[in-house]
Amino acid sequence: MSTPLATARLQLNAGFTLADACEQVPYYAAMGVSHLYFSPITQAVPGSMHGYDVTDPTIVSPELGGEAAFAELAQRLRAHRMGIVLDIVPNHMAAHAANRWWWDVLLLGQASAYADWFDIDWNSEDPELKGKVLAPFLAQSRQAALDCGTLSLVFDDASRSFQVQAEGARYPLTHESLPLTGDSVAQTLAQHDCATLAGRMRFEALLDRQHYVLDWWRCAGERINWRRFFEISSLIGVRVERRAVFDAVHALPLRLFAQGLIDGVRIDHVDGLAQPLSYCRQLRTRLRAGSVQRPDALRHDEPWMVVEKILAHDEVLDGRWAVHGTTGYDFMDQASAVLHDPDGETVLADCWSEISNVKSPAQEWLIEARQLMLNQHFAVEYRALLRALWNLVQFDAAKRGWTLAAIDRAMQRFLSVFPIYRTYLEEGNGDSRDIGWLLGAAAQASQRFGQGGDASLCMLLDGLFRSLSTPMAATQPQGKEREQLRRNAINRLQQLTPPLAAKSLEDTVFYRYGRLLSRNEVGSDLSDFSLSSADFHRRNVWRLAHMPESMVSTATHDQKRGEDSRARLAVISEMPGRWAAASQRWLRWAGFQDNAKPVHTAERYMLMQTIVGSWPLDLSLDDAEGLARYTERLAQWQVKALREAKTSSSWFTPDLRHEERCVQQLRALMLGDQADMRADIQRFIEDLAPAGAVNSLAQLVLRMTVPGVPDLYQGTEFWDFSLVDPDNRRQVDFRERRRALEALQTQPSIEKLLAGWRNGRIKQTVIARVLRLRRQVPHVFARGGYTALLVAGEAGSHAIAFLRAGGDDAVLVVVPRLCWHAMAAGKGTGLPLIGLDFWRESYAQLPVHMSRRTWLNALTGEEHYFHDVWLPLETLLGRFPVAVLHSPAA
């Protein structure tokens, strides 16, 4: 198989196994997908719903069906001329008893063969953790757990060994600390029974002799001596920069590629690795080496590699990356931003400032969140960075006077404004791009904070980063030691900034700052409310030139809300005044008035946006059962949103009373006697919904036709109004989707599809027909040119048009944008269709050499011949809201 033509993402778990995925192969083949793209298939924590908590990366999870089921699935896909892309997790594993590497470390400590496979600091500044590993998994302090009996000694019959049982989990005991003796098992257990003072003292002494320290989970942020995945203390960082670790972690995907069972990989959280660039080059080399073993028909295929990577506004993957591109968060942001009206930004920002009672711009919210995360959630990681930097500067006589406190002040300010996820200082001198990011952020920090005693802030930061980027030859005095310290400091910095950025923005500010929630999405930047058509075209031209095989996505398992929810909410940017009036009306509901602090009003304001964005199109007010199901989904979202915001509640210290009060208010609103208010909300949604559907179809067509490999997230071929996970991982009704696809074989009329637009089949139709065109002319979409077309006339700014051309084939794409006013003025049909009058006297301009050709509309079946370069938009968009036309080779 060559590079994927289009992928479909499927979430595997015990409820949807490899065998279940196998049943869907004919459906996705008929849809036109070339590759299924799976969540991790390796063995994970029992019952895992996502697979990222890996316990054994060397085997296919038995819960999913094991390797036999995977081979059968691969064989069936090959029979349909399809392939597989695997999601691999090189950054972390589960700190769980089922992880034999982790268990061995707990058992043997530094003597374990895996002691340096995990990113553990065996020389912690905490005296109790010297040579030990923290196990912060107790639900309470160790003393409290001993008091209440949740921490005890047990005997494991299977392994014939004594073990520690804590909160239902098991931990090993070193062989010498409690060997099997002549005493009976019962006697030994009785001797360590915490019900007696002597037994408790023996048991505590036994715990002290282990290679791990059991502690309260709340202590992890201050004590943990190993790198976590973000702030999740059940996931431990893996050191794949070590050859033995790399080999073990990648043995399975390398073998599956060599056997011809997979065609590529998606690399999860690549920015968590110590050396992402070197890692990607090594993985590509190893995959290519396996090509000689692949079946003859696949031997010359290049392994397709994409990385899960968040890019800043003006950041791109540069030439150092040995990958085909990202997983598409960047495109997801661009496709959404181009559908937002820049004229609505100020009104919506002012509305939010009034409701939240905070006048600060969005960037201030982010700085505050970063400082919170740095000092409370990543305190131990931050202290380790400070120590590493201080140790490094001791090698420079000019910097030895710098105190740890001064470095602390400088780094606090620097990290609060650092604009990207991370830099990539890996080999030799730092790349100029990385040094530019560091020094630019240092200057920004100095400009913002450099007052009085901190006037030398920029100079201090400049010196620090030049120390980081300047290696010392091993032949120089103390050169080897200095280089080790430099490497350690670089790793500490570069492995701290990604989780700090993610947890501050995506998992804090996006739940605090509610200007317009459609712009609070993974890959988005709060400073970028909208994107012009010209900028959107420029991004596509860049992708074609540099990353033409990058994945382009508009829905993922990490999204905050469904792609069609975002498209509907984008309409609010076109009608901010009406939204402000409606939302203020709803917030005055008596049920929202108790404890009406600004923060609570802000929470309710974001709840109202969530309701407006996610209300199912088929949900009527008299459907009591449907309303109840939807309300419980909203309640689950609301509790998560409150805890992620860390204002009224949090995961660390949940305010259960406030959460319950919010949920009760939600239920009263949705299920109580507030029928008039619900009717008012639904009328507002009905006003938005057709324009939202037009946005959805425009977003969809852009994803399917711009340079890149389009990805289809499971189930989103129908309308996707899902909420944040786990809501977006709910089981998909594939039977209904298969029936709908089979019905397409009868070629239903466009009018019939438009009339039934609420059932989502119109969206599936567009996907299937564009994918059919992609299969028909793959050269156009794989490497064909991209030409932005001028759109002129009164409605010129309300359409995006471009041309893809390869050989003599050409594909013309035209989609609308910012058309709510036109649809509202029509007041007519309630359909996602823009009236002909709006498009009259507006035209898309073809290049001269493309005139006088016949074009076939892939969506409507209509044939057109344009003798001129000016194409009337009323012809292109008058019958259907989006247009994809193919002009075949002569």
Side-chain angles (χ1 to χ4, degrees):
M1 299 291 290
S2 58
T3 299
L5 184 70
T7 59
R9 166 80 179 200
L10 293 180
Q11 295 289 123
L12 300 172
N13 51 60
F16 187 82
T17 65
L18 293 163
D20 296 315
C22 198
E23 293 180 9
Q24 310 313 323
V25 169
Y27 166 70
Y28 279 111
M31 280 291 293
V33 166
S34 68
H35 288 70
L36 293 186
Y37 153 45
F38 293 111
S39 59
I41 64 169
T42 48
Q43 183 167 295
V45 169
S48 174
M49 295 301 293
H50 48 75
Y52 291 99
D53 44 0
V54 177
T55 57
D56 189 343
T58 67
I59 64 172
V60 178
S61 169
E63 280 194 12
L64 302 181
E67 192 159 337
F70 185 79
E72 182 179 348
L73 170 59
Q75 184 177 12
R76 189 167 197 192
L77 284 163
R78 292 297 187 212
H80 286 80
R81 301 179 62 196
M82 298 170 68
I84 291 175
V85 176
L86 279 191
D87 192 343
I88 62 173
V89 190
N91 174 69
H92 56 270
M93 294 179 69
H96 188 274
N99 181 347
R100 58 187 173 85
W101 301 347
W102 168 251
W103 183 270
D104 199 67
V105 168
L106 296 181
L107 179 66
L108 301 176
Q110 288 178 277
S112 168
Y114 309 107
D116 60 358
W117 286 35
F118 299 111
D119 207 344
I120 300 169
D121 179 7
W122 293 103
N123 192 33
S124 172
E125 63 179 0
D126 186 333
E128 190 182 4
L129 293 174
K130 291 285 186 182
K132 296 189 177 187
V133 60
L134 185 71
F137 306 125
L138 298 181
Q140 52 197 325
S141 70
R142 190 173 99 169
Q143 294 304 314
L146 288 167
D147 289 342
C148 67
T150 58
L151 184 56
S152 61
L153 183 69
V154 297
F155 185 76
D156 182 67
D157 292 322
S159 64
R160 299 294 300 164
S161 65
F162 290 101
Q163 296 176 0
V164 173
Q165 181 164 284
E167 319 291 350
R170 294 288 183 90
Y171 299 89
L173 294 174
T174 62
H175 301 308
E176 63 276 10
S177 67
L178 192 62
L180 284 173
T181 64
D183 294 334
S184 69
V185 168
Q187 284 178 313
T188 302
L189 293 177
Q191 291 168 358
H192 294 82
D193 187 349
C194 293
T196 68
L197 178 60
R200 178 163 175 161
M201 291 178 65
R202 286 192 199 94
F203 184 54
E204 289 197 69
L206 177 64
L207 290 176
D208 291 339
R209 294 196 296 273
Q210 304 312 309
H211 296 293
Y212 54 88
V213 175
L214 282 167
D215 203 349
W216 193 11
W217 66 269
R218 290 181 182 274
C219 297
E222 288 291 337
R223 293 198 73 194
I224 202 162
N225 63 334
W226 42 272
R227 180 171 60 86
R228 300 170 288 175
F229 171 69
F230 289 6
E231 56 177 345
I232 302 174
S233 298
S234 59
L235 299 175
I236 184 168
V238 177
R239 300 183 65 190
V240 290
E241 66 271 19
R242 300 182 65 86
R243 178 60 183 265
V245 184
F246 182 97
D247 291 346
V249 168
H250 296 88
L252 180 64
L254 289 172
R255 177 167 58 80
L256 295 178
F257 182 78
Q259 292 172 346
L261 299 181
I262 68 171
D263 297 313
V265 294
R266 177 253 197 201
I267 302 167
D268 180 67
H269 189 47
V270 72
D271 276 345
L273 306 181
Q275 299 175 10
L277 305 182
S278 300
Y279 166 84
C280 289
R281 288 194 294 270
Q282 182 181 7
L283 181 56
R284 176 175 292 284
T285 299
R286 296 289 296 277
L287 286 168
R288 282 174 168 169
S291 295
V292 296
Q293 303 173 46
R294 285 166 69 82
D296 291 343
L298 307 173
R299 190 160 296 168
H300 301 291
D301 289 343
E302 177 76 4
W304 190 59
M305 292 171 52
V306 291
V307 292
E308 184 198 27
K309 164 74 181 152
I310 303 292
L311 296 168
H313 167 75
D314 49 357
E315 183 187 14
V316 296
L317 290 190
D318 55 54
R320 295 174 293 173
W321 289 86
V323 297
H324 291 88
T326 71
T327 53
Y329 297 151
D330 44 340
F331 175 79
M332 183 162 70
D333 174 55
Q334 295 157 18
S336 176
V338 78
L339 299 176
H340 281 71
D341 190 342
D343 292 340
E345 180 178 6
T346 300
V347 176
L348 290 170
D350 289 345
C351 182
W352 169 248
S353 293
E354 181 179 348
I355 284 170
S356 65
N357 201 34
V358 178
K359 309 303 179 186
S360 305
Q363 189 63 22
E364 297 300 319
W365 292 71
L366 180 58
I367 289 173
E368 180 184 346
R370 284 197 175 202
Q371 291 170 343
L372 168 70
M373 298 304 301
L374 195 61
N375 291 300
Q376 292 188 18
H377 296 256
F378 296 114
V380 68
E381 291 89 348
Y382 178 57
R383 287 201 307 269
L385 168 63
L386 294 181
R387 289 198 309 274
L389 290 171
W390 188 81
N391 288 335
L392 176 63
V393 300
Q394 301 313 299
F395 278 84
D396 187 337
K399 299 170 187 172
R400 285 178 191 157
W402 292 358
T403 65
L404 193 61
I407 296 174
D408 180 15
R409 286 195 302 272
M411 292 307 297
Q412 285 269 354
R413 289 152 175 74
F414 166 79
L415 290 170
S416 70
V417 299
F418 188 57
I420 59 174
Y421 260 53
R422 67 168 285 166
T423 52
Y424 301 91
L425 302 170
E426 293 189 12
E427 298 170 358
N429 293 317
D431 186 276
S432 60
R433 286 159 289 201
D434 293 317
I435 302 303
W437 286 115
L438 292 172
L439 298 184
Q444 184 183 349
S446 182
Q447 181 180 12
R448 177 181 175 82
F449 300 106
Q451 300 174 8
D454 284 338
S456 61
L457 175 65
C458 191
M459 182 184 71
L460 191 153
L461 287 169
D462 183 280
L464 281 176
F465 300 141
R466 295 201 184 279
S467 293
L468 286 177
S469 59
T470 307
M472 180 181 287
T475 55
Q476 292 182 260
Q478 296 183 301
K480 186 175 182 180
E481 181 184 355
R482 195 265 187 191
E483 185 59 17
Q484 289 176 337
L485 292 173
R486 185 183 78 94
R487 185 73 262 165
N488 180 51
I490 288 172
N491 287 348
R492 293 291 185 186
L493 174 64
Q494 295 185 148
Q495 289 183 305
L496 171 60
T497 56
L500 177 63
K503 296 301 293 185
S504 301
L505 181 62
E506 297 165 24
D507 292 341
T508 303
V509 176
F510 279 173
Y511 290 96
R512 288 183 176 185
Y513 184 77
R515 175 187 56 191
L516 187 59
L517 294 187
S518 49
R519 296 302 295 134
N520 292 14
E521 192 50 80
V522 178
S524 297
D525 187 325
L526 288 174
S527 63
D528 297 328
F529 182 78
S530 60
L531 189 70
S532 69
S533 297
D535 281 338
F536 180 75
H537 288 308
R538 277 194 285 271
R539 306 293 178 91
N540 292 328
V541 169
W542 184 93
R543 191 182 312 107
L544 179 62
H546 300 279
M547 295 277 176
E549 294 163 341
S550 183
M551 182 180 283
V552 287
S553 309
T554 52
T556 80
H557 60 287
D558 286 322
Q559 67 191 13
K560 303 301 180 187
R561 53 198 48 82
E563 61 183 9
D564 300 314
S565 290
R566 298 195 304 273
R568 184 190 290 172
L569 286 172
V571 180
I572 290 176
S573 69
E574 303 178 59
M575 45 177 290
R578 290 190 60 172
W579 162 254
S583 58
Q584 290 284 2
R585 187 167 64 246
W586 302 333
L587 289 173
R588 287 194 295 269
W589 171 50
F592 278 170
Q593 296 311 302
D594 62 310
N595 297 316
K597 301 175 183 178
V599 63
H600 297 164
T601 303
E603 291 166 356
R604 291 157 188 160
Y605 183 73
M606 289 189 277
L607 171 64
M608 300 315 303
Q609 290 187 56
T610 300
I611 292 173
V612 167
S614 63
W615 190 288
L617 286 168
D618 59 354
L619 178 60
S620 63
L621 292 176
D622 57 4
D623 180 1
E625 191 175 318
L627 276 172
R629 286 195 302 269
Y630 177 50
T631 300
E632 291 314 302
R633 291 174 51 212
L634 287 169
Q636 185 180 48
W637 168 85
Q638 187 170 44
V639 170
K640 180 168 184 173
L642 291 170
R643 293 186 180 184
E644 295 286 16
K646 307 169 189 68
T647 304
S648 298
S649 189
S650 71
W651 296 107
F652 196 72
T653 53
D655 186 336
L656 300 180
R657 291 181 62 186
H658 179 65
E659 292 173 1
E660 180 59 25
R661 185 163 56 246
C662 290
V663 170
Q664 289 302 326
Q665 288 178 339
L666 169 64
R667 288 175 178 149
L669 169 65
M670 299 295 293
L671 306 174
D673 57 3
Q674 305 300 318
D676 290 345
M677 185 171 173
R678 286 194 294 275
D680 190 26
I681 294 172
Q682 191 182 50
R683 281 192 296 271
F684 187 87
I685 294 169
E686 287 297 309
D687 194 17
L688 264 70
V694 168
N695 276 349
S696 291
L697 295 175
Q699 176 179 254
L700 168 61
V701 165
L702 293 175
R703 168 165 55 94
M704 306 297 288
T705 56
V706 299
V709 177
D711 178 54
L712 173 67
Y713 184 69
Q714 63 175 27
T716 60
E717 56 270 47
F718 283 4
W719 299 122
D720 173 27
F721 299 111
S722 61
L723 303 167
V724 71
D725 71 278
D727 192 71
N728 61 20
R729 297 178 185 179
R730 287 176 296 150
Q731 293 295 325
V732 176
D733 186 350
F734 282 107
R735 181 178 300 177
E736 178 60 25
R737 284 159 177 76
R738 286 195 301 269
R739 280 201 297 261
L741 186 62
E742 290 166 2
L744 277 181
Q745 307 307 316
T746 63
Q747 294 293 322
S749 68
I750 289 300
E751 289 71 22
K752 184 176 180 180
L753 284 169
L754 281 168
W757 68 277
R758 291 175 178 274
N759 61 24
R761 294 188 178 193
I762 189 173
K763 188 180 177 188
Q764 184 190 52
T765 300
V766 171
I767 295 171
R769 291 182 178 175
V770 177
L771 285 181
R772 182 171 62 189
L773 178 60
R774 287 183 71 95
R775 282 192 176 275
Q776 184 181 341
V777 287
H779 55 287
V780 171
F781 293 100
R783 293 287 179 174
Y786 180 97
T787 303
L789 301 183
L790 172 68
V791 185
E794 290 187 12
S797 63
H798 295 274
I800 300 171
F802 56 87
L803 193 71
R804 303 295 311 274
D808 290 330
D809 282 292
V811 173
L812 169 68
V813 178
V814 185
V815 301
R817 64 186 292 262
L818 312 182
C819 291
W820 174 77
H821 287 284
M823 298 177 70
K827 284 197 184 295
T829 62
L831 300 178
L833 191 62
I834 304 160
L836 284 172
D837 290 344
F838 182 71
W839 296 122
R840 288 202 173 103
E841 305 304 321
S842 295
Y843 305 86
Q845 184 183 19
L846 281 174
V848 173
H849 69 279
M850 284 291 171
S851 63
R852 300 183 181 279
R853 294 178 66 137
T854 299
W855 299 82
L856 180 66
N857 191 319
L859 305 179
T860 66
E862 296 172 288
E863 188 173 277
H864 302 281
Y865 177 79
F866 299 112
H867 66 279
D868 197 352
V869 296
W870 293 102
L871 311 184
L873 294 188
E874 61 184 294
T875 300
L876 298 173
L877 301 176
R879 191 178 172 207
F880 199 68
V882 291
V884 180
L885 288 78
H886 172 220
S887 180

